[in-house]
Amino acid sequence: MGEILLPLLILSPLAASEILFISAGRISARAVGTVACAGVGLSAVISIVLSVLLLSGPATGLLQATLWPWMHIAGFSADIAFMLDRISMVMILVVTIVGLLIHIYAASYMRDDPGVARFFGCMTLFVASMLVLVLASDLLCLFIGWEGVGLCSYLLIGFWYDNPVNTAAARKAFYMTRMGDTAFLCGLLLLATAVGSLHIDTVLAAVTNGQIAPSALNMAALFILIGALAKSAQIPFQTWLPDAMAGPTPTSALIHAATMVTAGVYLIARLHDLFAQAAPVMALTAVLGALTILMGACTALVQSDLKRILAWSTISQLGYMFLALGCGVWQAALFHLMTHAFFKALLFLTAGAIIVRTHHEQDIFRLGGLRHTMPGLTAAFVTGASALAGLPLVTAGFYSKEMILSGVWPAHFRLTHELTLNGHFLWGMALLGAFLTALYIFRCVFIVFFGKSGTTTRGQTSRLMTIPLGCLCVLSLCGGIIEMPTTFPPLHLFSALLDPAASHSHADEPGWLVLAGAVVPLAGLAVAWVLWGRPSPVMREMPGQAVVIRFARTGEGIDMLYDRLFVQPFRFLTWLTRHDILDYIITGTGRLTRTASTSVLRARTDFLGTLTLWGTSGIRETDRLLGQIQNGRVRWYAAWIAGGLSAGLAMAMLS
């Protein structure tokens, strides 16, 4: 049965996408939304059925379906094949269920847009591409889905293409993720050369058996990491994600919550056995993740645009996932990926509803007092903010973030025989990030919902928009209780689901680690209330924000750096290629040679002409002189003879 349902899982949103693209402009907006939601909804139902079939089998069982062989040549083979195990099961449930809620919301949000069919065609194609990515059993097939989500993100970010800002943001996302895709492809080529196949099980078996040289293994892991960093907007590829806010809000929710940016996390988790053998790359992953946590949180703290705050928040939360991956606790990374999909989708969709009802106002300082006019949206946003901050016991974000922190504390990396990187420092950076997360998100909550009244509001939030918000509220609050810290009642369903052998990996976790993870978000909430929550707030913006506004608020500092390091040199090379300087040099040399040859020829011609003229004149004068001497008079002849003889005798006597 799995051989039928696995292809159908992808075919359902793909068929909906084809129908919407072909029928664009011919059916109503309501019909467009129905087709899109039906395609993704059927995919969600199939995901649940497949999950039940997988869990009813053995713990190590999986479902497979091979559609057709792609290429079989000497020393290499690749197939279009899909595989469902427990890692990909978590991903398809997140992609289809959260994706369905976003599609239901978008059916109301986008109903008045003239390009609604094109929008939903791209959205359903996005879901289909993400499903190909997470279900592929071959890395080359996975690369097809990888490129598919990149293409769809370009189309959706630049959906309103009549605005040059939107198209520039789409190109920026496309270019930066393509750089990572190139590195990813180089890593695949290294693995294909070393193993002779890109089937995931074959590659991991070759790694376990030591068939790949350590240098090749480290290089392949590094290239794959670069691809994951670019797709997930981690340092140094983080600048494209905030600009992706140019697309419609449901697009932002889909990209930032359930698809696209989580692809890099899934890729490393899928290949965790490969990365476990590349200690330097693991250490680099953890360090970059920790740095991204702090960078994203600090930047979000000085933003004034509501959606950009959430965008930088996504970058920071993905940093937690990469930190966990680098420390080897990939189960915690996937757990946080799941809970993050719940509360980040909730925050983006709530922000979209607020923006629509406030005349498309996104500046938090122009919003205020919305708890009076939007009590339901206030409750939804506060729920998402609490889960993002990881408020203890009552939110899903607390349990997933606690699982990461408890896994980072005992980590250590032996880079060389003498050099070891301890996880305690990385844990401290992650804990500081938790404090900053609570600080910036509740800064937003207190200013927007509890501050001084700002812009006027209009209308009501439609039922199609409130149903997904209600479902996501429940998931954001209760979605994390399946994995408890060891100091709580022993409930480890998620880690037991992914890897039964690792279900009690944190049995020796000190109780004070859990306490620190619980107190720090509360401290961030308290500081945010002191600074922005009281009737007379201490400050409006962060001190010194004017100094960092250009570099932190808009990200121009990093963009400027990249412009100097990469864009300008590339443009110079493009200019050289366009104008063909080498051809100019060769042509100029030829022109100079021709000019010199012409000058030499002219000089030679003039010299020989002058010499000939002088010779002719000399001969003529000599002939005239001789003609005067030979006049036929004998006495003159005798005189010349006598004179010549006298001269000869004189010379002989003198010598």
Side-chain angles (χ1 to χ4, degrees), residues 20 27-39 103-104 106-108 116 120:
L20 293 173
I27 58 177
S28 65
R30 183 174 182 178
V32 167
T34 302
V35 171
C37 292
H103 276 71
I104 294 173
S108 174
V116 62
F120 276 109

Side-chain angles (χ1 to χ4, degrees), residues 608-632:
L608 292 177
T610 303
L611 187 61
T612 303
L613 181 60
W614 287 355
T616 304
S617 300
I619 293 172
R620 186 182 299 110
E621 290 298 324
T622 303
D623 179 71
R624 187 177 60 80
L625 181 60
L626 291 176
Q628 290 178 355
I629 295 175
Q630 301 293 330
N631 53 12

Side-chain angles (χ1 to χ4, degrees), residues 194-553:
V195 181
S197 173
L198 286 176
H199 193 279
I200 294 175
D201 289 340
T202 304
V203 170
L204 296 181
V207 171
T208 304
N209 297 330
Q211 298 178 13
I212 306 177
S215 58
L217 182 63
N218 285 323
M219 286 301 299
L222 179 61
F223 281 130
I224 294 174
L225 173 63
I226 294 173
L229 292 174
K231 192 68 75 175
S232 296
Q234 298 293 283
I235 291 176
F237 302 100
Q238 76 280 1
T239 59
W240 70 265
L241 194 59
D243 290 342
M245 297 298 97
T249 298
T251 295
S252 303
L254 192 65
I255 292 176
H256 290 244
T259 61
M260 183 67 174
V261 294
T262 61
V265 178
Y266 166 77
L267 177 64
I268 299 179
R270 166 61 69 191
L271 302 177
H272 62 270
D273 288 339
L274 184 151
F275 280 86
Q277 303 298 321
V281 180
M282 289 283 282
L284 179 62
T285 304
V287 171
L288 289 177
L291 292 175
T292 305
I293 291 172
L294 297 181
M295 183 275 300
C298 291
T299 308
L301 194 57
V302 294
Q303 298 292 314
S304 61
D305 186 285
L306 180 58
K307 289 179 66 175
R308 292 183 74 90
I309 292 173
L310 299 180
W312 284 106
S313 168
T314 298
I315 295 173
S316 181
Q317 295 304 303
L318 288 167
Y320 277 102
M321 301 176 206
F322 274 84
L323 174 60
L325 293 170
C327 293
V329 283
W330 55 272
Q331 302 93 339
L334 289 179
F335 187 37
H336 194 57
L337 183 153
M338 182 185 73
T339 60
H340 176 263
F342 299 153
F343 60 72
K344 189 50 63 70
L346 174 61
L347 287 171
F348 268 110
L349 297 184
T350 306
I354 292 170
I355 291 169
V356 168
R357 292 184 58 185
T358 55
H359 311 280
H360 298 279
E361 180 59 66
Q362 297 183 203
D363 191 331
I364 62 174
F365 297 111
R366 295 179 182 174
L367 302 170
L370 297 185
R371 65 188 175 94
H372 300 294
T373 56
M374 304 179 187
L377 294 181
T378 301
F381 197 92
V382 171
T383 300
S386 301
L388 171 61
L391 296 189
L393 303 180
V394 296
T395 63
F398 166 73
Y399 297 102
S400 60
K401 199 170 294 184
E402 174 56 36
M403 189 177 180
I404 292 176
L405 291 174
S406 61
V408 170
W409 176 260
H412 64 278
F413 308 92
R414 184 173 296 279
L415 303 180
T416 64
H417 292 293
E418 298 81 12
L419 181 60
T420 301
L421 177 64
N422 197 291
H424 296 357
F425 180 70
L426 298 176
W427 176 86
M429 297 175 68
L431 198 65
L432 177 59
F435 172 81
L436 294 174
T437 300
L439 185 63
Y440 71 70
I441 194 60
F442 279 101
R443 163 184 175 261
C444 179
V445 168
F446 290 134
I447 292 175
V448 172
F449 298 99
F450 297 91
K452 183 179 179 180
S453 298
T455 185
T456 58
T457 61
R458 63 178 180 183
Q460 296 291 328
T461 305
S462 68
R463 183 173 300 176
L464 276 181
M465 296 169 70
T466 55
I467 291 175
L469 294 180
C471 295
L472 290 170
C473 283
V474 174
L475 292 173
S476 298
L477 293 176
C478 306
I481 59 175
I482 59 175
E483 185 70 29
M484 294 282 188
T486 54
T487 54
F488 286 32
L491 185 62
H492 306 286
L493 296 179
F494 189 84
S495 52
L497 171 70
L498 293 179
D499 189 358
S503 59
H504 303 289
S505 59
H506 307 305
D508 299 329
E509 175 187 355
W512 64 268
L513 282 179
V514 180
L515 182 61
V519 170
V520 165
L522 294 176
L525 169 60
V527 173
W529 181 82
V530 170
L531 297 179
W532 297 285
R534 297 187 301 176
S536 299
V538 174
M539 63 179 64
R540 178 179 173 87
E541 297 184 350
M542 293 298 296
Q545 181 164 313
V547 178
V548 296
I549 186 172
R550 182 173 182 180
F551 295 95
R553 175 178 283 182

Side-chain angles (χ1 to χ4, degrees), residues 525-599:
L525 169 60
V527 173
W529 181 82
V530 170
L531 297 179
W532 297 285
R534 297 187 301 176
S536 299
V538 174
M539 63 179 64
R540 178 179 173 87
E541 297 184 350
M542 293 298 296
Q545 181 164 313
V547 178
V548 296
I549 186 172
R550 182 173 182 180
F551 295 95
R553 175 178 283 182
T554 63
E556 283 187 20
I558 301 297
D559 288 338
M560 188 184 305
L561 176 63
Y562 289 170
D563 182 72
R564 296 292 186 271
L565 292 179
F566 303 110
V567 177
Q568 295 302 331
F570 181 78
R571 286 181 175 176
F572 177 70
L573 293 176
T574 304
W575 181 84
L576 291 179
T577 304
R578 181 183 302 167
H579 293 83
D580 203 351
I581 298 300
L582 181 60
D583 181 67
Y584 281 0
I585 294 174
I586 296 173
T587 304
T589 303
R591 190 179 296 112
L592 181 62
T593 303
R594 286 195 300 270
T595 302
S597 299
T598 303
S599 300

